[in-house]
């Protein structure tokens, strides 16, 4: 059965392979991630995955890199918060991104948990995972600075931890059967950000 993301014309073979790996991680966990399974999930001829990522380590790295790319696409460029928009713009954007993660992209969260745990066992994967995480974190620190934070690194950490905690709770934790409405998520972000930054 083809579990790679449908409706995405123009993807390269490497992207097809990485998307199928992400889908398998979400569906079956690390035990279900094999080169043969990725070939089948992506609808590719046998051996195609090995041509893209010869080893399991290479396949995991490809999944981590593609995963980071897809997470940055949760918001379109025009939906990114405008620093001039202050806390309201930042709150709107965070609530929208989190709601999309919980409704349309749950597999990304599940796959990320698998990859994060595996990164703790593979130093080379941890290095890639952490470097890509910095690419996501740095713009957020800049947004916190623009919003008036006197301690943007600390406030960014708190806000991202709230985001991650809500994501885990509603995907794999106690609230996995409940998806908060976007307005409810926005209210939570607003309380957090205003408590830290004022306004």
């Amino acid at each position: 059965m083809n579990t790679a993301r449908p409706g995405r014309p123009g993807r390269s073979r490497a992207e097809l392979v990485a998307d199928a790996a992400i889908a398998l991680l979400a569906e079956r966990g690390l035990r279900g991630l094999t080169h043969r399974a990725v070939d089948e999930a992506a609808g590719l001829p046998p051996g195609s995955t090995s041509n893209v990522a010869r080893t399991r380590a290479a396949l995991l790295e490809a999944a981590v890199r593609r995963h980071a790319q897809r997470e940055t696409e949760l918001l379109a460029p025009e939906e990114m918060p405008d620093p001039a928009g202050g806390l309201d713009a930042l709150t709107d954007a965070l609530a929208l991104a989190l709601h999309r993660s919980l409704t349309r992209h749950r597999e990304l969260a599940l796959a990320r948990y698998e990859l994060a745990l595996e990164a703790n066992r593979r130093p080379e994967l941890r290095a890639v995972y952490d470097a890509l995480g910095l690419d996501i974190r740095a713009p957020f620190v800049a947004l916190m600075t623009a919003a008036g934070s006197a301690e943007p690194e600390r406030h960014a950490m708190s806000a991202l931890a709230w985001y991650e905690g809500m994501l885990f709770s509603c995907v794999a934790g106690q609230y996995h059967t409940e998806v908060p409405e976007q307005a409810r998520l926005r209210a939570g972000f607003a309380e957090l950000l205003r408590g830290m930054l004022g306004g």
Side-chain angles (χ1 to χ4, degrees), residues 17-150:
V17 164
D19 284 339
I22 289 168
L24 284 167
L25 285 166
E27 180 185 348
R28 306 178 192 176
L30 282 162
R31 291 183 181 179
L33 184 66
T34 66
H35 284 69
R36 178 180 296 180
V38 173
D39 285 339
E40 293 173 356
L44 295 172
S48 296
T49 298
S50 292
N51 289 332
V52 172
R54 186 157 299 280
T55 65
R56 183 172 178 81
L59 182 57
L60 287 166
E61 180 175 337
V64 167
R65 291 187 182 280
R66 178 64 170 160
H67 187 282
Q69 179 186 355
R70 285 175 57 182
E71 282 206 324
T72 63
E73 295 170 354
L74 284 172
L75 293 178
E78 64 272 14
E79 294 171 322
M80 294 298 291
D82 180 355
L87 287 184
D88 284 341
L90 182 57
T91 301
D92 288 340
L94 288 172
L96 178 59
L98 181 53
H99 192 259
R100 284 181 178 166
S101 292
L102 293 172
T103 54
R104 289 193 252 167
H105 302 286
R106 292 174 76 88
E107 79 169 20
L108 284 180
L110 291 169
R112 178 145 57 89
Y113 302 144
E114 295 283 346
L115 290 167
L117 290 172
E118 187 65 6
N120 283 337
R121 306 177 190 108
R122 293 174 178 260
E124 71 284 358
L125 188 63
R126 171 54 62 187
V128 174
Y129 189 99
D130 288 350
L132 292 170
L134 285 175
D135 289 341
I136 293 172
R137 192 170 77 191
F140 193 71
V141 173
L143 285 169
M144 297 299 280
T145 301
S149 171

